[in-house]
Amino acid sequence: MIVADNWKDYEVIDTSNGEKLERWGDFLLIRPDPQVIWDTEKKHFGWKNFNGHYHRSSKGGGEWEFRKLPDEWTINYKNGATFHLKPFAFKHTGLFPEQAVNWDWFSSIIKEAKEKNPDKPIKVLNLFAYTGGATIAAALAGAEVTHVDASKGMVSWAHENATSSGLENAKIRWLVDDCNKFVEREIRRGNKYDAIIMDPPSYGRGPKGEIWKIEESIFPFVKSCEQILSDDALFFLINSYTTGLQPAVLSYMLNTVIVPGHGGKVVSDEIGLPVSSNNLVLPCGASGRWMR
């Protein structure tokens, strides 16, 4: 497992009975987590003295309970990234901290490539890009980024994060679009990218109601994306929170779609976050990584 253990402004403090107690900067949140199937003793004071608690309903969905929590606040990551946080629908805050392991990984690849050839642009495509964690990391490392998400609100949020991270003049294209249709158009245009990042949802809809079901859609989508990888591409990253897409499944896809035409190697693994109260690790999905 690859563990995101470089955070200072974020911490999983404890987990129990379907929930996790987290510190986001100066504030404590309790949120549901389906991986937490154990019921251990809740010793930390934060279980009773939280700033926000998302209560899941047995009928689906849920609602927030707030105690002295601002409408919005920020946290920072080591590479200068600044993220605006705000509790919104279905337990989310606008950031998946475990993804920092991938930010660190591909940032080092981008920086190494820029050192070898400073004048060559590195074009990165970030699909299902959400609030822009990967976009910001890639841009801070020196890449030119195309950020694509179907939600106008998420793209605006990502743009705000980038500005707060000092990237207001960075070469980032902000696109509200269906990722499938965007890739199809890029194939027709003959455009190429040196790296592709994707963080697909289990289920989703595009701006015009396009349906995405990951088990049915992911493999043909990866095949389409391979067509817009440059001949000397640097990396390809797939993140998955869907239980069925285990690391071995991601490796199989990348080895059958990317490796035959581009060589390189594939490494896939679970990713997780350290739990400070017991030095254990909370699993948070999987990542499949191809690199030249």
Side-chain angles (χ1 to χ4, degrees):
M1 181 181 286
I2 313 166
V3 181
D5 56 4
N6 287 319
W7 280 100
K8 293 183 179 179
D9 282 1
Y10 173 81
E11 174 187 5
V12 179
I13 298 170
D14 197 12
T15 64
S16 181
N17 196 26
E19 296 181 313
K20 55 188 174 185
L21 172 64
E22 307 163 289
R23 178 181 61 82
W24 297 80
D26 296 327
F27 303 102
L28 299 181
L29 302 184
I30 299 173
R31 299 190 298 151
D33 193 306
Q35 300 284 359
V36 183
I37 61 173
W38 46 88
D39 183 7
T40 50
E41 187 178 357
K42 297 179 177 179
K43 295 181 180 180
H44 193 275
F45 74 91
W47 288 109
K48 295 182 179 180
N49 296 279
F50 55 83
N51 299 105
H53 187 173
Y54 186 88
H55 299 277
R56 177 167 285 172
S57 170
S58 59
K59 298 179 182 179
E63 62 180 5
W64 282 98
E65 174 189 358
F66 297 125
R67 300 177 183 173
K68 296 182 180 179
L69 186 70
D71 293 336
E72 183 176 317
W73 71 102
T74 62
I75 63 172
N76 301 295
Y77 190 59
K78 65 175 188 177
N79 58 359
T82 298
F83 302 104
H84 292 257
L85 306 175
K86 49 190 172 185
F88 69 109
F90 192 61
K91 78 179 182 180
H92 295 303
T93 63
L95 187 67
F96 294 98
E98 66 274 7
Q99 289 302 319
V101 294
N102 288 318
W103 306 339
D104 292 346
W105 171 71
F106 65 67
S107 293
S108 65
I109 296 174
I110 294 169
K111 289 176 181 177
E112 183 178 350
K114 292 296 289 183
E115 288 173 0
K116 289 180 179 178
N117 192 348
D119 297 326
K120 182 182 183 299
I122 296 174
K123 296 182 179 180
V124 175
L125 174 60
N126 187 14
L127 299 165
F128 310 98
Y130 195 53
T131 58
T135 294
I136 291 165
L140 286 170
E144 300 178 7
V145 187
T146 298
H147 175 110
V148 186
D149 196 278
S151 168
K152 183 178 180 180
M154 291 300 112
V155 174
S156 296
W157 193 340
H159 199 172
E160 183 181 359
N161 285 336
T163 299
S164 296
S165 301
L167 294 169
E168 59 272 14
N169 296 318
K171 292 184 177 180
I172 303 175
R173 287 199 298 161
W174 304 100
L175 303 177
V176 179
D177 205 343
D178 175 76
C179 290
N180 256 317
K181 291 187 175 180
F182 173 78
V183 170
E184 290 170 2
R185 289 197 299 273
E186 292 294 84
I187 292 171
R188 293 194 294 270
R189 294 164 180 153
N191 289 336
K192 300 286 185 177
Y193 295 87
D194 302 306
I196 295 177
I197 300 164
M198 65 174 69
D199 200 344
S202 298
Y203 178 85
R205 289 183 180 273
K208 297 182 179 179
E210 302 91 343
I211 295 176
W212 168 277
K213 294 181 180 178
I214 195 167
E215 291 87 351
E216 300 173 4
S217 305
I218 187 66
F219 185 70
F221 184 62
V222 172
K223 289 177 70 177
S224 295
C225 288
E226 187 276 333
Q227 296 180 58
I228 58 174
L229 268 184
S230 63
D231 292 339
D232 55 350
L234 296 173
F235 66 88
F236 195 114
L237 171 66
I238 306 175
N239 296 308
S240 172
Y241 304 94
T242 304
T243 306
L245 297 187
Q246 299 174 15
V249 174
L250 300 176
S251 285
Y252 202 101
M253 280 197 298
L254 291 170
N255 272 297
T256 54
V257 177
I258 308 300
V259 172
H262 298 270
K265 65 178 181 178
V266 174
V267 177
S268 300
D269 206 343
E270 287 186 274
I271 59 176
L273 288 162
V275 180
S276 61
S277 64
N278 55 22
N279 295 319
L280 299 176
V281 176
L282 176 66
C284 302
S287 290
R289 300 170 170 181
W290 170 84
M291 64 179 296
R292 176 163 299 284

